[in-house]
Amino acid sequence: MTGECARVAVLSDIHGVLPALEAVLAEPEVAAAERIVVTGDITAGPQPAEVLDLLRAQGDRVLWVGGNADRELVEYRRGERTEIPDPIGSHAARALRPDQIDFLAALPGTRTLHVRGLGEVLFCHATPRDDEELVLVDSRPARWAEVFTGLPPGIGTVVCGHTHMPYVRLAHGRLVVNPGSVGMPYGRPGAHWCLLGPGTDLRVTRYDIPAAVARLTRDCAYPDIAAWADYFLYARATDTEVLEAWGPKDGRSAS
């Protein structure tokens, strides 16, 4: 992709939570950003069709990357799998229109964009080579070297999502940025996102969570929506709990 962007808003792991997405899109700096990059897991949640329609209404300003949960919904609808690990996934898959399934199926796994102050930035969902492998804020240098294998030397910044916890760190001279999750945050409530250019600015948008829980409970037909919304919108899972549970999945147990 040619050209340079001065300001880029990054939204990841929206997971079909429309009130959280609406709150982030209403942020003045998101509205003013030249680009909005959506880094996957867009629709696996209570209001998938509505979230996708709202993002697509933003037009060509949005750059899309697919996530593992989006892929799973597509595979389920196309009969390529019979179940989805996330219990709400099958509900979300059935709620999407055929044109939306086709749209998700066509999303790329990575995008690159030149951002002022950061140079060439690669956007992905989990890692540059895979849409569901785990890297964490405390992953070992050897793990980062592994997931960066084959990455062009000109890529100085990698933006990923997937783990729903925001961080910025250096790994082998590359800046790694995770904006956290808009719709299903771990560690603290709010809609998490990131503003890029000329630096990296992790943001959290506070919104009316009780009203959002009530809205999802009223409007979503998923049987356990009240419990789902309470758990994820209030970020009942702490970052410490999640890091302890996921640590072995980044390969550290083998070292």
Side-chain angles (χ1 to χ4, degrees):
M1 184 169 296
T2 59
E4 180 183 70
C5 290
R7 301 287 264 180
V8 176
V10 186
L11 282 57
S12 190
D13 296 277
I14 300 164
H15 277 282
V17 180
L18 184 62
L21 174 61
E22 290 172 339
V24 172
L25 291 178
E27 290 277 14
E29 287 175 300
V30 175
E34 292 174 69
R35 293 283 193 177
I36 298 172
V37 181
V38 180
T39 57
D41 282 12
I42 306 156
T43 54
Q47 295 174 298
E50 295 89 341
V51 159
L52 203 51
D53 282 343
L54 179 57
L55 284 170
R56 293 179 75 178
Q58 310 306 308
D60 293 340
R61 196 163 62 106
V62 178
L63 295 181
W64 303 80
V65 171
N68 64 295
D70 304 308
R71 172 176 52 78
E72 290 163 0
L73 267 57
V74 171
E75 292 169 351
Y76 182 85
R77 277 288 295 271
R78 292 183 170 179
E80 297 167 7
R81 62 164 62 222
T82 58
E83 59 183 20
I84 298 176
D86 184 351
I88 203 171
S90 58
H91 160 82
R94 291 190 294 268
L96 291 167
R97 302 188 305 268
D99 69 290
Q100 294 176 321
I101 292 293
D102 292 342
F103 180 83
L104 291 175
L107 294 183
T110 63
R111 299 291 294 260
T112 58
L113 191 63
H114 197 86
V115 180
R116 187 172 302 167
L118 295 173
E120 201 71 10
V121 180
L122 183 140
F123 299 88
C124 59
H125 178 62
T127 70
R129 64 181 187 173
D130 189 274
D131 67 10
E132 59 182 340
E133 69 177 346
L134 283 171
V135 281
L136 303 164
V137 65
D138 59 347
S139 290
R140 307 162 332 283
R143 175 63 170 167
W144 287 104
E146 179 187 356
V147 302
F148 286 164
T149 299
L151 209 57
I155 300 294
T157 301
V158 175
V159 180
C160 54
H162 190 50
T163 62
H164 299 206
M165 293 175 287
Y167 65 83
V168 177
R169 66 161 288 175
L170 277 173
H172 297 285
R174 287 188 168 101
L175 194 66
V176 181
V177 183
N178 190 318
S181 173
V182 171
M184 291 174 60
Y186 296 143
R188 65 172 181 169
H192 296 257
W193 55 284
C194 182
L195 193 64
L196 300 180
T200 60
D201 191 358
L202 297 176
R203 299 294 185 91
V204 58
T205 297
R206 306 294 180 184
Y207 64 102
D208 190 339
I209 291 178
V213 171
R215 178 179 170 189
L216 293 181
T217 302
R218 181 190 69 234
D219 295 345
C220 176
Y222 178 60
D224 296 320
I225 185 58
W228 189 98
D230 177 87
Y231 184 79
F232 287 112
L233 271 60
Y234 283 104
R236 304 295 187 189
T238 71
D239 55 303
T240 302
E241 291 168 345
V242 174
L243 286 170
E244 288 177 351
W246 283 357
K249 296 182 180 180
D250 81 340
R252 67 187 68 188
S253 60
S255 63

